[in-house]
Amino acid sequence: TCVFRSYTVQRALDPGRWALPSATKTELRLAQATRLRLHRAQCEVGVQMGKVLRPAANPLPDTGLSYAGYHQITTLEVVAPPGVAARLGIWNLLQLPQPGTMLVPTRSPTTPQKVFGDFAAGELAAAGQGVRWKMTPPGPDSKIALKAGVVTGRAGHLRETEIPGIFDLVVREFQVGAEGDYVDALWDPPHERGWAFQACCVRNGAECFNELEYHAPAAALAAGKTFSRDESHVWAFRGPEPEVRKAAASLLGACAG
């Protein structure tokens, strides 16, 4: 049985039991304390998580495009039993409508690691400027991963809306560094580290969508680091195709061309 068919996010984490310590017109604060099962270490650890959400300024204010955006701060503190060398990392994802094209600028030519699934001819393209993935149904569910040393800290998703000629662009800017302890591991190869970015195309089932996902360096108890903090920005634009494509090129570089 494929592990991806039975895998689920722990309900203690998602949806979890989030509290709302404070909310204003310009800031929303969320918090929760829970326990998580570490499958590789075969133990439980306590975690305290926090999220701060604020409006994000438009990085392209003169385009005339419709815009919405937010700035997110996520914190993670780990409490584990004595002697447990736990390493936990923050990860964030955006669930986006199909069909669409994932645009991932890279620092150098790279070949994405296939996590699962298959790709039709011309669907996934990697060049010196980055990775372009046409994420459209039908086909198998598929996922790719890229390492921290090659991604730039930005990725985007471009799609035509239900209104002919009107396009959406969603861009996420996130912190990344090749020196970070990126502990999220793939099932194959299981012991290799450093995967900072992933994208997933879910084409089958009750819900079909595309995912833009990134990971932050871990809080590692063995190294005495029990606290992790991550920041990102999400910028979303809508408007006529030529203007949206110009915005994509401005924010994501040549891979958006």
Side-chain angles (χ1 to χ4, degrees):
T1 302
C2 176
V3 68
F4 301 108
R5 298 300 181 190
S6 59
Y7 169 79
T8 58
V9 177
Q10 297 180 54
R11 295 190 65 81
L13 182 63
D14 185 9
R17 297 179 62 89
W18 290 90
L20 185 64
S22 66
T24 69
K25 291 183 178 180
T26 57
E27 182 181 272
L28 184 70
R29 288 182 176 267
L30 301 166
Q32 78 159 335
T34 188
R35 297 189 65 79
L36 298 176
R37 177 73 178 171
L38 304 185
H39 295 292
R40 292 184 189 271
Q42 291 296 299
C43 69
E44 282 193 355
V45 297
V47 296
Q48 293 183 349
M49 300 182 64
K51 287 182 180 288
V52 179
L53 299 168
R54 300 169 180 150
N58 187 343
L60 301 173
D62 300 323
T63 61
L65 297 170
S66 298
Y67 168 79
Y70 65 91
H71 173 204
Q72 178 176 294
I73 301 171
T74 305
T75 57
L76 169 69
E77 187 168 5
V78 185
V79 180
V84 173
R87 297 156 70 214
L88 273 74
I90 295 168
W91 60 275
N92 283 288
L93 66 83
L94 296 174
Q95 197 174 94
L96 300 157
Q98 290 182 358
T101 300
M102 193 69 67
L103 306 168
V104 191
T106 57
R107 300 182 186 279
S108 58
T110 187
T111 300
Q113 172 71 34
K114 183 178 77 172
V115 181
F116 58 82
D118 290 299
F119 308 95
E123 176 183 327
L124 181 65
Q129 306 94 331
V131 174
R132 293 172 58 93
W133 183 7
K134 297 177 182 178
M135 309 168 84
T136 61
D141 297 346
S142 304
K143 190 169 190 176
I144 62 170
L146 293 164
K147 289 203 169 183
V150 299
V151 295
T152 66
R154 285 187 182 178
H157 184 267
L158 179 69
R159 76 176 190 106
E160 186 172 12
T161 69
E162 294 76 11
I163 305 171
I166 300 300
F167 275 59
D168 283 346
L169 171 68
V170 177
V171 175
R172 184 153 217 165
E173 182 180 65
F174 54 95
Q175 299 172 326
V176 67
E179 71 285 352
D181 183 20
Y182 292 90
V183 298
D184 186 65
L186 311 182
W187 290 100
D188 183 22
H191 303 297
E192 194 170 327
R193 298 290 191 266
W195 306 105
F197 179 85
Q198 298 179 17
C200 183
C201 183
V202 178
R203 298 182 172 104
N204 302 282
E207 297 183 14
C208 298
F209 51 86
N210 298 334
E211 285 185 352
L212 187 163
E213 176 183 342
Y214 79 93
H215 296 249
L221 296 185
K225 179 185 176 185
T226 62
F227 183 80
S228 179
R229 185 179 188 274
D230 175 65
E231 289 193 49
S232 68
H233 294 85
V234 174
W235 305 314
F237 305 88
R238 172 172 287 190
E241 178 182 0
E243 284 72 18
V244 172
R245 289 193 179 276
K246 288 179 184 177
S250 177
L251 295 172
L252 300 171
C255 81

